[in-house]
Amino acid sequence: MDLQLKDKFAALWKKYFYNAELPITFYYTDEEGHAELVKPGSVPRCIIGALSSVRKGKSSCFNIESVGCFGGKRYLGFAEKIRPNFEYFLSCGIPGELEGERYKKSPELVKEWIKKAPVFKAPARYAVFKRWDKLEESDAPEVVIFFAQPDVLSGLFTLANFDMAEQNGVIAPMGSGCSTIVQYPYLEKDSGHPRGVIGMFDVSARPYVPENVLTFAVPVNRFTTMVENMEESFLITGSWQAVQKRIKQEKREN
């Protein structure tokens, strides 16, 4: 980890976003000891629920046994297998056998959606999650993840688009909560123009975050550029100062 980048972002975050929640980061490694390994069954099955403690400052390391749900294993790259009858699970279900989530209109539509969905294999045995202020020189974060309220999210969204000519410098793909903070932003790192990813629209994952929070995740190569742009962007204008006041107020009220 570039400790100068760590300190620079921390200072600028406090300057422009006051005490808004710090982001968490994640990366893959085959090395043990970067964080405590999560024991099977010791955290919520949903990876979003399991990350609640990371947001509070407890670093965690996951392997394939740590993750309790099929989706989490798949979207962290630990397994390609989909749960049995997934096309029914995501749509109408099977009467008397399987309750459907009804996120897609039909099993056939789910099958078509799966064909277009990205798949990747984790490059190492462990996925390490750490809050930004807990990073050490030996860490190598690959994705930065914000759990953000609307005003903070607006700042991140605008900053991500600041130096891009295309209309979609940020995307909001349909997917599970964990896919939008791990899989999609991780794959963006190898793009010629890495984009930010807004997520946490997954209805099943919503109970694990506050009602006024979504996520913004971005590969660290793109994040570094965003940090470099902060002090010449809209963040130094009166328009942002008006929003800053609300961010400060929101933090006090919470």
Side-chain angles (χ1 to χ4, degrees):
M1 174 65 193
D2 181 347
L3 296 183
Q4 287 188 331
L5 173 64
K6 176 187 173 183
D7 293 340
K8 180 178 181 179
F9 170 72
L12 290 174
W13 184 251
K14 187 174 183 63
K15 179 178 180 179
Y16 293 115
F17 291 84
Y18 292 122
N19 292 317
E21 182 176 338
L22 282 169
I24 66 173
T25 66
F26 100 89
Y27 63 92
Y28 290 105
T29 182
D30 281 318
E31 298 177 351
E32 299 180 359
H34 286 273
E36 182 180 350
L37 181 62
V38 173
K39 297 179 180 179
S42 64
V43 295
R45 282 176 54 83
C46 177
I47 192 71
I48 303 304
L51 293 178
S52 295
S53 60
V54 179
R55 293 172 60 193
K56 296 175 182 177
K58 180 182 179 181
S59 303
S60 294
C61 175
F62 295 80
N63 62 12
I64 189 170
E65 287 81 20
S66 304
V67 184
C69 79
F70 281 101
K73 293 180 191 293
R74 178 180 173 86
Y75 298 123
L76 266 68
F78 290 140
E80 292 187 19
K81 185 178 179 180
I82 299 176
R83 64 171 293 164
N85 295 314
F86 180 73
E87 66 270 27
Y88 292 95
F89 171 70
L90 204 65
S91 59
C92 60
I94 301 174
E97 181 180 338
L98 176 67
E99 183 178 1
E101 290 188 309
R102 295 187 176 273
Y103 294 155
K104 288 292 185 182
K105 189 171 184 177
S106 69
E108 293 73 25
L109 190 60
V110 175
K111 289 181 179 180
E112 289 300 313
W113 178 70
I114 291 174
K115 289 179 183 179
K116 301 174 182 178
V119 177
F120 81 108
K121 182 177 181 180
R125 291 183 298 164
Y126 303 111
V128 176
F129 290 83
K130 287 190 174 187
R131 200 172 66 188
W132 185 263
D133 59 328
K134 301 298 181 180
L135 290 170
E136 301 174 355
E137 193 170 6
S138 60
D139 295 311
E142 295 175 285
V143 171
V144 181
I145 306 160
F146 295 82
F147 287 77
Q149 296 173 326
D151 282 339
V152 174
L153 186 62
S154 74
L156 294 168
F157 174 89
T158 308
L159 187 61
N161 281 286
F162 175 67
D163 60 353
M164 298 189 74
E166 66 173 271
Q167 297 296 314
N168 297 304
V170 177
I171 59 174
M174 181 176 181
S176 68
C178 55
S179 74
T180 58
I181 66 170
V182 174
Q183 183 189 49
Y184 280 102
Y186 181 79
L187 293 176
E188 281 294 318
K189 72 182 177 61
D190 296 322
S191 166
H193 299 282
R195 299 168 295 181
V197 181
I198 293 178
M200 214 50 58
F201 299 107
D202 177 4
V203 175
S204 298
R206 290 299 307 164
Y208 294 103
V209 297
E211 70 275 8
N212 60 342
V213 166
L214 292 173
T215 55
F216 177 90
V218 63
V220 74
N221 53 357
R222 180 66 183 140
F223 175 75
T224 300
T225 303
M226 290 172 60
V227 175
E228 292 172 352
N229 286 335
M230 288 177 77
E231 294 210 278
E232 63 173 307
S233 73
F234 65 96
L235 293 174
I236 65 175
T237 68
S239 296
W240 181 249
Q241 289 174 5
V243 178
Q244 272 186 296
K245 292 179 182 179
R246 296 204 313 192
I247 292 174
K248 190 174 185 178
Q249 182 66 27
E250 287 170 355
K251 188 65 179 180
R252 185 162 59 244
E253 291 176 351
N254 290 330

